[in-house]
Amino acid sequence: MKDFKKKASIANDPWSSWNVGKSGNWDNGNAVDSWATKPESAAGQRNSASNNWEAAAAFGHPQAYQGPAAADDDDWDDDWDDPKSTSPSYLGYKETEASEAGGIQRGNSRAAAMKLPLNKFPGFAKPGMEQYLLAKQLVKPKEKIPIIIGDYGPMWVYPTSTFDCVVADPKKGSKMYGLKSYIEYQLTCTHFDWLYERLLVKFGLAIPIPSLPDKQVTGRFEEEFIKMRMERLQAWMTRMCRHPVVSESEVFQQFLNFRDEKEWKTGKRKAEKDETVGVMIFSTMEPEAPDLDMVEIEQKCDAVGRFTKAMDDGVKELLTVGHEHWKRCTGPLPKEYQKIGKALQSLALVFSTSGYQGESDLNGAITEAGKTYEEIASLVADQPKKDLHFLMETNHEYKGFLGCFPDIIAAHKGAIERVKESDKLVATSKITPQDKQNMVKRVSTMAYALQAEMNHFHSNRIYDYNSVIRLYLEQQAQFYETIAQKLRQALSRFPVM
Amino acid sequence: MKDFKKKASIANDPWSSWNVGKSGNWDNGNAVDSWATKPESAAGQRNSASNNWEAAAAFGHPQAYQGPAAADDDDWDDDWDDPKSTSPSYLGYKETEASEAGGIQRGNSRAAAMKLPLNKFPGFAKPGMEQYLLAKQLVKPKEKIPIIIGDYGPMWVYPTSTFDCVVADPKKGSKMYGLKSYIEYQLTCTHFDWLYERLLVKFGLAIPIPSLPDKQVTGRFEEEFIKMRMERLQAWMTRMCRHPVVSESEVFQQFLNFRDEKEWKTGKRKAEKDETVGVMIFSTMEPEAPDLDMVEIEQKCDAVGRFTKAMDDGVKELLTVGHEHWKRCTGPLPKEYQKIGKALQSLALVFSTSGYQGESDLNGAITEAGKTYEEIASLVADQPKKDLHFLMETNHEYKGFLGCFPDIIAAHKGAIERVKESDKLVATSKITPQDKQNMVKRVSTMAYALQAEMNHFHSNRIYDYNSVIRLYLEQQAQFYETIAQKLRQALSRFPVM
């Protein structure tokens, strides 16, 4: 298990493993031309240390979709938990046994279990891609994901009513008295891990499904860590509930509605038999719009790649800066204000021993000024929780989304490459002209899906960043106003001479 | 010359060389019971490193009065300047030749030149002390320093009109157009050094005469250093002009009024012939009050010792804390705000490439918020000059005053010890009962002088600290209000969603 953790940590930056090269080198992940080695971010401040992560491209990482799951893989809910990594009792965790293998390794074995005809054509190694692009007739799936053309271009269809799922500690009896009706689940970490895996497997090439919050607990701050993880799990759950495609999916609805272990097991088996996963998710989509041409498709895909990569850099930069600032605001800075406060009070104490008459007003005022600086120390130390925290969490969440894009873009790029190579295949009669026609239509569907998801992403992004920066500025302004007020109050105590 | 500098630096803390022990070990400075080794400050935070300075007690230091000057010591104005140490052209410095010996070493040679009967009695080694305490009849000096009893106890008589002396750079043509009349001097560093020495020699056992600002210039910040030194020289000069005893003294008036080198040389010779120096300064004082008893005298002296020592600790603590804060406010903190500003602007730049419609307002607002943080960086970096600077300078000035007290208190303690030992001397007929009577009267005069000076000190201290802390709080409040305003302005640019 230790080994698995290490790998997951090395491959922390999904961007480092994403191959933007032209060759469809799908069956091994040797990135030769990744963004990690050729930084092109807007910020231009990418850490050169990321070059070292290039080697990690050979490993999988938790967010990388690795092929459809084996339908008979029945021990998913037993072997995902690493009891060493955490004990978040607030979710009513059952302790489960640690499996021999890390979850990350499962992707390939599942792909193998599907017994897909790998390597039938060179460059068609990625499981599912050939199945989707070259199927004479796509099986009509039960679930359909409509894509309409709205004011901003292709978009998902948003459900008329939305719902939320509250993550709370049942031990603490946190009843949602404000809500008219709610269902209380006894959810375990295993349930969430299973849901994440299912969503990743099913939607991961069309929709960014961010990893669940990290389970690792460092001893000292365990309580704070657990609180933060619960907050992040809540945020993750809210994102899923608000996603028009994810929230309406059968697997998600089933997750929300099971009431006991029996229903859970039944639903789990059913979901794991779902073959509309991986690239096949695009077979459920029917854009109400004419096919796009290949030049436009490729341009749009590249634009998404550039944008998400640049935003990833920007978000990471802000996180780095914010983390530094957090440390200063909670560490040395308040200590210094404390010292200023103490030094003023000490001085006033000395002054009071002078034996000189009529300076008690001054000494009282200096003492109060000293106490004011001690109060300022507390204000400074507590402030990040009130503003920087939310700015950081929002960026952290977006870092999670953005980390999913290398895989998404790789799928799109891969499909585009297949179409480009298809003329040769037609010429050598490996595929028919009709096959090629189908391929173009299906890549066009993928492009619509990408645009629909990007429009969803952008509208959320604009709302989220507007909200969180407003909150940050408002809280910061209040913070400085409070300090100024306290200082004026301290000032008013000084005698005018 | 290098060697002298080093010594002056080692003996930086006058408190470390002050002997509070009972034995009148005057002719060597081996401190065995100094405050440096037994810290008793109110703050209780004295750095243990000061213990190392105990060894420095064997050296003299610029502030230590070492006996009356030799009247024929005619090269004072030539050998005080160390051309290596500075070149403050703003005072119209003439470059003078470096002497072989440092000024600090002169004290003893001057004492020797006076040919005072040293070591006549054990414990009476300090030049002048015996002369003052045991003289059958004190020579009536031309200058008299009255001590009256005011509302707050013994006090100096304040002149009806006061004056100031403006230290300015003649090269910069800084004419004082606002003042009705002023005399412009071509003062050199030598002139100031000479004045300091004369004041120290004459008043140093009754009145704290702080050292002149340090001449040492570190290459990189030469210009700022020179500016600061000029400010400090101005502050020093203002203190002297405002001191009722110093400002009215012949030597100081003469310093202010010479118009050319000829007058200077004449005045200099005259001043250096003055024998009313060192402990003899007390012979010019006639308190209009009955003699104090020895118990009261000793208690008052001890109280002054405790207060000035405790205040010295408090002031140093505030300086240390202030210095740390200065570094943070001008270094890492604005750098961090700069980074936050840059990160926000980078993110807005990325956002603007999204191709999504209708987010230009948000991106403009984020860019402005970023610029606001860059402005805040500048505000933070510039603020210490507007508030902390003055708090630091006031404390620095008081550190200078307080550094003079070990010598002052040592003189008083020494005199008290002599009186205590006098019974033995009477018993062994070394002195007459009338001699002892004179001693008590003269020690009482010293005690009145000490109280008068302390009352002057306290009234200045109360005024100065009240003013500077008020200024500090007012400027700090304005600073935080400005930041809050800027943040609110940035906030107002965000679209409401």
Side-chain angles (χ1 to χ4, degrees):
Chain A
M1 294 308 282
K2 224 174 185 179
D3 205 23
F4 153 58
K5 288 226 154 282
K6 203 173 162 191
K7 282 178 190 171
S9 154
I10 288 168
N12 212 351
D13 185 355
W15 291 99
S16 65
S17 63
W18 184 52
N19 188 341
V20 293
K22 297 299 175 198
S23 72
N25 214 359
W26 288 102
D27 41 2
N28 73 66
N30 290 328
V32 287
D33 189 20
S34 78
W35 275 331
T37 52
K38 284 191 179 174
E40 293 180 335
S41 79
Q45 294 190 21
R46 202 169 168 75
N47 196 319
S48 64
S50 59
N51 288 350
N52 299 335
W53 293 2
E54 203 187 336
F59 300 107
H61 59 80
Q63 242 138 249
Y65 174 63
Q66 311 227 3
D72 55 352
D73 186 359
D74 209 357
D75 56 354
W76 268 103
D77 52 344
D78 295 328
D79 65 359
W80 201 243
D81 257 353
D82 176 2
K84 264 180 266 165
S85 66
T86 185
S87 57
S89 54
Y90 63 90
L91 282 169
Y93 271 174
K94 302 178 295 187
E95 280 298 325
T96 54
E97 284 154 42
S99 74
E100 290 296 305
I104 275 345
Q105 313 292 357
R106 313 221 122 244
N108 292 325
S109 59
R110 269 176 281 148
M114 286 283 281
K115 292 184 182 61
L116 283 171
L118 300 181
N119 295 312
K120 186 170 173 185
F121 302 114
F124 270 57
K126 192 75 173 175
M129 185 62 89
E130 179 204 12
Q131 192 184 13
Y132 171 61
L133 291 181
L134 284 176
K136 299 288 178 199
Q137 186 80 41
L138 286 171
V139 179
K140 289 281 171 213
K142 286 176 299 176
E143 293 185 88
K144 284 199 181 152
I145 301 172
I147 300 175
I148 58 170
I149 306 297
D151 293 343
Y152 293 79
M155 58 183 285
W156 306 124
V157 174
Y158 287 79
T160 46
S161 67
T162 57
F163 56 90
D164 272 329
C165 174
V166 177
V167 178
D169 184 353
K171 283 187 186 163
K172 288 192 177 161
S174 46
K175 303 273 182 201
M176 307 295 125
Y177 292 110
L179 299 177
K180 274 193 181 152
S181 70
Y182 68 96
I183 310 165
E184 200 177 298
Y185 305 103
Q186 272 297 97
L187 289 174
T188 65
C189 195
T190 310
H191 292 126
F192 279 104
D193 285 332
W194 180 87
L195 176 64
Y196 165 66
E197 267 302 303
R198 279 296 99 197
L199 295 179
L200 185 64
V201 162
K202 188 169 179 65
F203 298 113
L205 294 188
I207 295 164
I209 307 291
S211 303
L212 291 173
D214 202 355
K215 286 176 197 165
Q216 204 157 7
V217 173
T218 50
R220 283 214 298 165
F221 304 107
E222 192 161 338
E223 206 165 315
E224 257 185 56
F225 180 88
I226 287 173
K227 198 183 147 213
M228 187 185 75
R229 187 168 187 265
M230 192 151 149
E231 226 180 283
R232 288 182 177 177
L233 195 60
Q234 175 68 72
W236 187 90
M237 206 55 204
T238 304
R239 288 285 170 195
M240 295 303 123
C241 290
R242 301 273 174 87
H243 196 287
V245 175
V246 173
S247 64
E248 297 293 297
S249 68
E250 214 179 300
V251 57
F252 192 69
Q253 287 291 332
Q254 171 212 308
F255 174 85
L256 291 179
N257 293 308
F258 80 91
R259 280 163 300 181
D260 53 35
E261 270 309 292
K262 197 168 162 283
E263 281 186 27
W264 165 255
K265 287 262 176 194
T266 316
K268 200 170 79 74
R269 273 198 196 87
K270 190 180 162 203
E272 284 163 12
K273 276 184 190 131
D274 184 4
E275 288 189 19
T276 316
V277 296
V279 85
M280 289 309 289
I281 194 67
F282 297 109
S283 70
T284 65
M285 297 174 189
E286 282 172 4
E288 295 175 346
D291 290 353
L292 297 164
D293 72 73
M294 287 307 294
V295 174
E296 202 180 347
I297 289 171
E298 194 164 11
Q299 279 172 355
K300 289 205 186 280
C301 182
D302 286 344
V304 170
R306 274 193 305 274
F307 178 82
T308 50
K309 169 68 182 134
M311 182 168 168
D312 189 65
D313 287 342
V315 160
K316 281 174 183 164
E317 181 61 27
L318 202 52
L319 283 171
T320 303
V321 167
H323 185 64
E324 256 180 60
H325 196 53
W326 186 290
K327 279 193 292 181
R328 190 174 311 283
C329 290
T330 54
L333 202 54
K335 253 182 218 151
E336 227 166 78
Y337 285 117
Q338 190 98 38
K339 279 190 198 168
I340 292 171
K342 292 267 182 231
L344 287 173
Q345 289 175 81
S346 292
L347 202 62
L349 195 66
V350 174
F351 284 0
S352 71
T353 67
S354 73
Y356 197 78
Q357 296 167 41
E359 63 167 312
S360 62
D361 282 359
L362 172 65
N363 297 338
I366 297 176
T367 302
E368 282 307 307
K371 285 182 186 164
T372 300
Y373 272 93
E374 287 193 305
E375 284 177 57
I376 291 173
S378 298
L379 287 174
V380 168
D382 290 344
Q383 191 56 26
K385 283 178 214 147
K386 298 181 189 164
D387 48 30
L388 190 52
H389 172 71
F390 299 101
L391 189 61
M392 294 291 276
E393 283 303 298
T394 297
N395 277 285
H396 184 269
E397 213 185 343
Y398 272 87
K399 188 181 146 207
F401 283 126
L402 293 162
C404 302
F405 278 93
D407 286 330
I408 292 172
I409 292 159
H412 286 78
K413 283 275 196 187
I416 292 164
E417 289 305 310
R418 299 311 153 272
V419 174
K420 284 186 181 173
E421 290 162 17
S422 63
D423 282 337
K424 253 188 273 173
L425 297 174
V426 173
T428 55
S429 297
K430 302 242 167 139
I431 61 173
T432 66
Q434 181 57 41
D435 285 339
K436 187 193 156 160
Q437 207 54 40
N438 288 344
M439 283 173 81
V440 172
K441 189 175 186 61
R442 287 161 197 173
V443 170
S444 173
T445 299
M446 286 175 74
Y448 275 117
L450 184 59
Q451 286 176 70
E453 182 53 27
M454 283 317 287
N455 282 336
H456 177 71
F457 179 85
H458 288 316
S459 84
N460 275 296
R461 169 181 62 78
I462 290 165
Y463 180 85
D464 291 338
Y465 277 88
N466 188 10
S467 306
V468 82
I469 300 177
R470 282 175 66 93
L471 175 98
Y472 185 72
L473 293 175
E474 170 65 40
Q475 290 296 316
Q476 282 269 295
Q478 276 182 31
F479 166 66
Y480 288 116
E481 279 158 2
T482 306
I483 292 179
Q485 259 170 29
K486 286 197 178 287
L487 290 169
R488 291 228 173 268
Q489 205 180 332
L491 178 60
S492 72
R493 293 208 40 160
F494 278 77
V496 180
M497 288 182 176
Chain B
M1 293 309 281
K2 223 174 187 180
D3 204 22
F4 153 59
K5 288 223 155 283
K6 203 173 165 192
K7 282 179 189 172
S9 155
I10 289 169
N12 214 350
D13 185 354
W15 291 98
S16 65
S17 62
W18 185 52
N19 188 340
V20 292
K22 296 299 175 196
S23 73
N25 213 358
W26 290 101
D27 41 1
N28 74 66
N30 290 329
V32 287
D33 188 21
S34 79
W35 276 330
T37 51
K38 284 191 180 174
E40 293 180 334
S41 79
Q45 294 190 19
R46 201 168 170 77
N47 197 318
S48 65
S50 57
N51 288 350
N52 300 336
W53 292 2
E54 204 187 335
F59 300 109
H61 59 79
Q63 240 138 253
Y65 173 63
Q66 311 226 2
D72 55 352
D73 187 0
D74 210 356
D75 56 355
W76 268 102
D77 52 344
D78 296 328
D79 65 2
W80 201 244
D81 257 352
D82 176 3
K84 264 178 267 166
S85 66
T86 186
S87 56
S89 55
Y90 61 90
L91 283 169
Y93 272 174
K94 302 178 295 187
E95 282 296 325
T96 54
E97 286 154 40
S99 74
E100 290 295 307
I104 276 340
Q105 313 292 359
R106 313 221 121 246
N108 293 326
S109 59
R110 269 175 282 145
M114 285 284 282
K115 293 182 182 63
L116 285 171
L118 300 180
N119 294 314
K120 187 172 173 185
F121 302 112
F124 271 57
K126 192 74 175 177
M129 186 61 90
E130 179 204 14
Q131 192 185 11
Y132 170 62
L133 291 181
L134 285 176
K136 299 290 176 196
Q137 186 79 44
L138 287 171
V139 178
K140 288 282 169 213
K142 284 174 300 174
E143 292 185 88
K144 283 195 181 154
I145 302 170
I147 300 174
I148 58 170
I149 306 298
D151 293 344
Y152 293 78
M155 60 181 284
W156 306 124
V157 173
Y158 285 80
T160 45
S161 68
T162 58
F163 57 90
D164 272 331
C165 175
V166 178
V167 179
D169 184 353
K171 281 186 186 162
K172 289 191 177 161
S174 47
K175 302 276 181 196
M176 307 295 124
Y177 293 110
L179 300 177
K180 273 194 180 151
S181 71
Y182 69 97
I183 308 163
E184 200 177 299
Y185 306 103
Q186 272 297 94
L187 289 174
T188 65
C189 195
T190 310
H191 292 126
F192 279 104
D193 285 333
W194 182 87
L195 176 64
Y196 165 65
E197 268 302 303
R198 279 298 98 196
L199 295 179
L200 185 63
V201 162
K202 189 169 177 67
F203 297 114
L205 295 187
I207 295 163
I209 308 293
S211 303
L212 291 173
D214 203 355
K215 284 175 199 165
Q216 205 157 7
V217 173
T218 50
R220 282 212 301 165
F221 303 106
E222 192 161 339
E223 207 165 314
E224 256 187 55
F225 180 88
I226 287 174
K227 197 182 148 213
M228 186 186 73
R229 187 170 188 260
M230 192 150 146
E231 226 180 282
R232 288 183 175 177
L233 195 59
Q234 175 69 71
W236 187 90
M237 206 56 203
T238 303
R239 288 284 171 194
M240 295 302 125
C241 290
R242 300 275 172 87
H243 195 287
V245 174
V246 172
S247 65
E248 295 294 295
S249 69
E250 214 179 299
V251 57
F252 192 68
Q253 286 292 332
Q254 171 212 308
F255 175 85
L256 292 179
N257 292 308
F258 81 90
R259 283 162 300 181
D260 54 34
E261 271 307 293
K262 197 169 162 282
E263 280 186 26
W264 164 256
K265 286 264 177 191
T266 314
K268 199 170 80 72
R269 273 196 196 90
K270 192 181 158 199
E272 284 162 12
K273 275 184 190 129
D274 184 5
E275 289 188 17
T276 316
V277 295
V279 83
M280 289 309 289
I281 194 67
F282 297 109
S283 71
T284 65
M285 296 172 190
E286 283 171 6
E288 293 174 349
D291 291 352
L292 297 164
D293 72 72
M294 287 306 295
V295 174
E296 200 181 346
I297 289 171
E298 194 165 10
Q299 278 172 354
K300 289 204 183 280
C301 182
D302 285 346
V304 170
R306 276 193 305 275
F307 177 82
T308 50
K309 170 66 182 137
M311 182 167 168
D312 189 65
D313 287 342
V315 160
K316 281 174 182 164
E317 182 60 26
L318 202 54
L319 283 169
T320 303
V321 166
H323 185 64
E324 256 180 61
H325 195 53
W326 185 290
K327 280 193 293 184
R328 190 173 313 281
C329 290
T330 55
L333 202 54
K335 252 182 219 150
E336 228 166 77
Y337 285 117
Q338 191 97 37
K339 279 189 197 168
I340 292 170
K342 293 267 181 231
L344 287 172
Q345 288 175 81
S346 292
L347 201 63
L349 195 67
V350 174
F351 284 0
S352 70
T353 68
S354 75
Y356 196 78
Q357 296 167 42
E359 65 168 310
S360 63
D361 282 358
L362 173 65
N363 297 339
I366 297 177
T367 302
E368 282 306 307
K371 284 183 187 162
T372 300
Y373 272 93
E374 287 192 306
E375 284 178 57
I376 291 173
S378 299
L379 286 175
V380 168
D382 291 343
Q383 189 59 23
K385 285 178 212 146
K386 296 180 190 165
D387 48 30
L388 190 53
H389 171 72
F390 299 102
L391 189 61
M392 294 291 273
E393 284 302 298
T394 298
N395 277 286
H396 184 269
E397 212 185 343
Y398 272 87
K399 188 181 146 209
F401 283 126
L402 293 162
C404 301
F405 276 94
D407 286 330
I408 291 172
I409 291 158
H412 286 76
K413 283 275 197 187
I416 292 164
E417 290 303 311
R418 299 310 154 272
V419 174
K420 283 186 182 173
E421 290 163 14
S422 64
D423 282 334
K424 252 188 273 173
L425 297 173
V426 172
T428 55
S429 298
K430 300 240 168 144
I431 61 170
T432 67
Q434 181 56 42
D435 286 339
K436 184 189 161 164
Q437 206 54 39
N438 288 344
M439 283 173 80
V440 172
K441 188 177 185 63
R442 286 161 198 172
V443 170
S444 172
T445 298
M446 287 175 74
Y448 275 117
L450 184 60
Q451 286 177 69
E453 182 52 28
M454 283 316 288
N455 282 336
H456 176 70
F457 179 86
H458 287 317
S459 84
N460 274 296
R461 170 179 62 77
I462 291 166
Y463 180 84
D464 291 337
Y465 277 88
N466 188 12
S467 307
V468 83
I469 299 176
R470 282 175 67 94
L471 175 99
Y472 185 72
L473 294 176
E474 170 66 39
Q475 290 297 316
Q476 283 269 294
Q478 276 183 32
F479 165 66
Y480 289 114
E481 279 158 3
T482 305
I483 292 178
Q485 259 169 31
K486 286 196 177 288
L487 290 169
R488 291 229 171 268
Q489 206 180 331
L491 178 59
S492 73
R493 292 208 42 161
F494 278 76
V496 180
M497 286 182 176

